[in-house]
Amino acid sequence: MTVTLRPATVDDLTAVGALHQRSRVAAYSAFLPAEALADPTPEAMGAYWTERWTWERDEHRMTVVERDGRLVGFSYLGPDDEGDPATGLLNAIHLDPAERGRGTGRRLMVDALDAMRTRGWSRAVLWVLRDNAHARRFYERGGWTPTGVERDDHVGSALTPQLRYARRL
């Protein structure tokens, strides 16, 4: 089996959207209602990523991971959402549900942290859903710690509490 990380292209974004939706449903269904996860559709999520990439591709970096030529995960990073020039924001790591436990997420995280260091950032931050215990354990094993900052944001129609995590680079 061949696993490859590479920069995303515009041709990947529809597949990224579909994967993002599958990942959300698998990861969040234990604590969010089904109706919150039904929207957006995989097609709408692909359109979202296509639009977002149009505006952010110069400042952000998306990496996709393929297993035997099939897209199975992605990461997305960019500047800090609070404007700290020394800090990068890990916006997302999402995996196809079948990739959980195979080391793919860890590879994406290591790659993202290396990219942040290359950009000159000395600190990394991210937001994680408070109730996503699996993701919180994943990040904590990777050296991330909660900062104590919280916010509420929507996943579909559900207002979800989120925690800010940080780590030195």
Side-chain angles (χ1 to χ4, degrees):
M1 288 190 192
T2 303
V3 177
T4 306
L5 272 70
R6 63 171 176 79
T9 69
V10 70
D11 294 335
D12 294 316
L13 299 177
T14 298
V16 163
L19 182 142
H20 189 178
Q21 179 60 6
R22 286 193 311 277
S23 173
R24 286 165 42 121
V25 169
Y28 306 161
S29 62
F31 57 89
L32 289 179
E35 59 272 9
L37 297 172
D39 186 41
T41 65
E43 297 79 15
M45 191 69 88
Y48 162 81
W49 277 110
T50 299
E51 177 70 16
R52 185 171 181 178
W53 186 251
T54 298
W55 299 106
E56 293 182 346
R57 70 177 165 235
D58 292 337
E59 297 175 341
H60 288 70
R61 177 181 185 260
M62 179 182 283
T63 299
V64 296
V65 60
E66 295 176 324
R67 182 177 297 279
D68 297 328
R70 187 176 74 82
L71 184 81
V72 296
F74 74 95
S75 65
Y76 194 65
L77 62 90
D80 179 40
D81 59 343
E82 295 182 352
D84 180 356
T87 300
L89 176 67
L90 180 57
N91 291 273
I93 292 180
H94 281 278
L95 299 176
D96 187 277
E99 285 296 306
R100 277 179 82 174
R102 298 182 81 176
T104 307
R106 175 93 175 125
R107 289 178 79 164
L108 282 167
M109 181 171 36
V110 167
D111 176 75
L113 295 173
D114 286 345
M116 290 178 166
R117 284 183 200 98
T118 298
R119 289 183 175 212
W121 294 323
S122 58
R123 180 173 180 256
V125 294
L126 61 82
W127 292 99
V128 63
L129 299 184
R130 183 191 65 205
D131 295 335
N132 191 346
H134 179 80
R136 291 178 62 189
R137 281 190 306 274
F138 169 75
Y139 290 118
E140 289 167 8
R141 282 192 311 268
W144 300 80
T145 56
T147 65
V149 176
E150 298 185 28
R151 73 176 184 190
D152 289 327
D153 200 1
H154 283 89
V155 172
S157 59
L159 190 62
T160 58
Q162 299 180 358
L163 306 175
R164 191 168 175 94
Y165 274 59
R167 63 163 285 158
R168 302 302 306 161
L169 293 173

